[in-house]
Amino acid sequence: MFTNDSPLFQQIADRIADDIAAGTYPEETAVPSATDFAVFLHMNPATVSKGVNLLVDRGLLYKKRGIGMFVASGARDMLRRARLDEFTQRFVEPLLAEAHVLDIDIDTLHEMISQKVKDHA
Amino acid sequence: MTTAISVQSATRTFGRTTALDRMSFSVASGSILGLLGRNGAGKTTIMSIIAGQDRPTAGRVEVLGGEPFENASVLSQISYVRDNQRYPDDYKLHHVLRIAPDFAPNWDADLAAELAEGFRIPSKTKIKKLSRGQLSSIAIVVGIASRASITLLDEPYLGLDITARALFHEVLIRDYAEHPRTVVLSTHLVEESERLFDQVVIVDRGSVVLDVESDEIQNVAYTVSGTADAVDRVTQGRPVLSTHAVGGLKSATLRGLVDEQVRADARAGGAQLSPVSLQELVAAFGEYEPDATSGVALDGGEPRTPVDSQNGARS
């Protein structure tokens, strides 16, 4: 569940962001408290708070004083847009690079993708 | 952030044995410190001194601004249950729960009762007949329900089953979040407890060999693995903590960050680079022999000098 590749607070932030993007925590509803996350994940509460604060800084969560952390309106859209930007970088660019190495031209590539889409349909 | 515990060049000798050798570290108030290292590294010795049950032969240890030894105002704020805590022969659980508040002004009897039930500690059995795990459970109940400003937990997991260990983590975090305190926890079960720590101190042969904030752990060391030749190409001239070789295969754990030059050297021989977990780090530091390496000192200083990334930053 957790890896050594990035700091824990970053991983907890990513995890909550994933859940917001997936709609697990709808907009304008509360996310579990830092203490709940900490107890559930057996994690230092300060680490969780640090992760949660990253999402506050990005405008994805906001604090209602005395009540808790809430998912901001538009948070889901914001996350999806960020992932769309990443999509090109993470998937399209490596695909084109590999296609170039293998001398696959753009028409063949289109054809391969169309074929896969049909297979999945 | 204020300093709750300050260990200043503490040395403790027992006859010809040096248990602590100029050990230094400090713990910020309200944080959880993981005190890690091999058997005999000095973990229990320094805990006893922090708890005021022993004194350093040289150097100084301050807890909440004072030396704890025979210092009633400091001692009343410390909770320490030794891993081999002895109780009077006829004692049962309820005797411990009844006398504990005398030593712990913040004692929470309800919490203690809840924990004793959660850990399923037999109430009718004499304590001296309890199993290792049940003894550990009593130590945890006393340690957490004391709600002491300074809570010292020395190997709290000994003999505990998986369910009890999970319960311990949950209870510790919940109570710590509601009633913040400074916690020092020593353990060999690094992987299970590492997510609790704000700060990690690794000790070996009585001295601190690593003192870092948890977030920095992945910047401390890395592992390179592959054929012996490929690995040697990377380790050449770099500080090596430990190496393992089987047949023609080799892996080495190196101190420091992976930079472009490391990457290039690894690529040249086809060696793999990977991050090091805290558990692997503890094992690597435990294997480190200052004389056996290529003469490249860790961190560019004296081989046994603690690698201190946080003094000043936290105090």
Side-chain angles (χ1 to χ4, degrees):
Chain A
M1 180 166 59
F2 293 97
T3 64
N4 301 312
D5 300 340
S6 58
L8 269 177
F9 67 88
Q10 182 67 56
Q11 294 184 49
I12 182 95
D14 292 347
R15 196 178 153 148
I16 298 171
D18 280 351
D19 284 343
I20 293 171
T24 310
Y25 307 124
E27 293 175 1
E28 298 303 329
T29 64
V31 297
S33 72
T35 304
D36 287 344
F37 271 125
V39 172
F40 184 69
L41 299 169
H42 293 176
M43 192 179 283
N44 189 300
T47 309
V48 177
S49 297
K50 207 166 162 185
V52 167
N53 286 335
L54 284 184
L55 301 182
V56 173
D57 291 345
R58 286 176 64 189
L60 297 168
L61 294 178
Y62 68 96
K63 185 183 240 165
K64 277 193 190 171
R65 206 164 283 281
I67 306 177
M69 286 291 177
F70 282 70
V71 180
S73 297
R76 208 174 163 189
D77 253 7
M78 208 188 300
L79 281 166
R80 290 166 67 98
R81 246 180 291 131
R83 285 186 180 213
L84 269 174
D85 292 346
E86 266 180 49
F87 185 81
T88 311
Q89 196 191 341
R90 283 180 58 198
F91 300 100
V92 181
E93 279 173 12
L95 177 78
L96 292 177
E98 184 72 4
H100 180 73
V101 169
L102 298 176
D103 281 332
I104 300 172
D105 64 35
I106 188 69
D107 291 337
T108 316
L109 195 60
H110 275 147
E111 211 170 289
M112 291 165 87
I113 293 172
S114 303
Q115 188 56 46
K116 271 286 162 205
V117 171
K118 274 184 214 154
D119 291 351
H120 279 276
Chain B
M1 210 175 271
T2 56
T3 300
I5 301 169
S6 165
V7 176
Q8 301 155 19
S9 201
T11 293
R12 177 69 168 104
T13 54
F14 298 97
R16 277 186 221 158
T17 308
T18 302
L20 300 183
D21 184 8
R22 287 161 294 163
M23 182 181 283
S24 297
F25 63 89
S26 59
V27 188
S29 185
S31 68
I32 302 181
L33 170 78
L35 183 62
L36 311 174
R38 300 183 63 170
N39 291 325
K43 301 188 296 293
T44 299
T45 306
I46 190 59
M47 281 228 200
S48 304
I49 293 174
I50 292 169
Q53 297 186 1
D54 189 11
R55 273 193 293 190
T57 314
R60 191 177 168 84
V61 172
E62 284 183 10
V63 179
L64 302 172
E67 286 193 274
F69 192 81
E70 293 188 344
N71 184 338
S73 69
V74 173
L75 289 176
S76 68
Q77 299 186 67
I78 298 176
S79 163
Y80 175 53
V81 182
R82 306 182 68 102
D83 64 344
N84 57 352
Q85 178 69 43
R86 300 287 292 269
Y87 300 89
D89 272 356
D90 288 333
Y91 258 41
K92 294 178 182 171
L93 174 66
H94 68 89
H95 295 106
V96 177
L97 298 186
R98 200 167 55 204
I99 200 165
D102 291 352
F103 300 93
N106 300 328
W107 182 258
D108 186 315
D110 292 338
L111 178 64
E114 180 200 327
L115 293 181
E117 198 185 318
F119 283 113
R120 297 190 184 167
I121 304 170
S123 56
K124 297 190 173 102
T125 313
K126 286 182 185 168
I127 288 179
K128 66 175 182 176
K129 302 219 160 145
L130 294 182
S131 73
R132 178 64 254 179
Q134 290 165 333
L135 279 175
S136 295
S137 301
I138 292 185
I140 289 171
V141 172
V142 173
I144 295 180
S146 291
R147 286 207 180 126
S149 304
I150 306 289
T151 300
L152 308 171
L153 299 163
D154 190 8
E155 279 293 340
Y157 305 89
L158 279 183
L160 280 192
D161 62 59
I162 304 170
T163 313
R165 295 206 295 273
L167 177 65
F168 164 66
H169 283 139
E170 274 187 37
V171 171
L172 177 65
I173 296 169
R174 176 166 52 99
D175 209 56
Y176 164 83
E178 287 163 8
H179 304 273
R181 67 199 82 166
T182 307
V183 178
V184 178
L185 193 159
S186 82
T187 181
H188 295 301
L189 296 181
V190 177
E191 217 148 297
E192 282 192 24
S193 46
E194 63 174 306
R195 303 203 302 259
L196 300 176
F197 305 144
D198 290 287
Q199 178 191 353
V200 167
V201 166
I202 300 178
V203 293
D204 197 50
R205 294 188 186 86
S207 306
V208 173
V209 290
L210 185 75
D211 182 346
V212 287
E213 286 186 51
S214 309
D215 293 345
E216 296 296 320
I217 286 163
Q218 68 269 25
N219 301 331
V220 171
Y222 59 94
T223 293
V224 52
S225 55
T227 62
D229 284 350
V231 171
D232 289 344
R233 186 196 293 255
V234 181
T235 56
Q236 180 64 39
R238 295 199 171 97
V240 178
L241 283 172
S242 70
T243 56
H244 285 276
V246 177
L249 298 171
K250 193 170 182 179
S251 76
T253 300
L254 284 82
R255 187 81 177 83
L257 275 170
V258 174
D259 57 21
E260 275 315 308
Q261 192 54 49
V262 171
R263 258 184 247 285
D265 288 349
R267 236 188 342 255
Q272 298 286 322
L273 296 170
S274 52
V276 176
S277 71
L278 180 57
Q279 174 142 314
E280 292 164 331
L281 202 55
V282 175
F285 272 107
E287 254 175 64
Y288 176 62
E289 296 289 340
D291 303 328
T293 54
S294 53
V296 181
L298 292 181
D299 221 41
E302 288 273 306
R304 302 303 292 179
T305 299
V307 183
D308 200 14
S309 74
Q310 61 165 28
N311 259 5
R314 280 185 84 99
S315 49

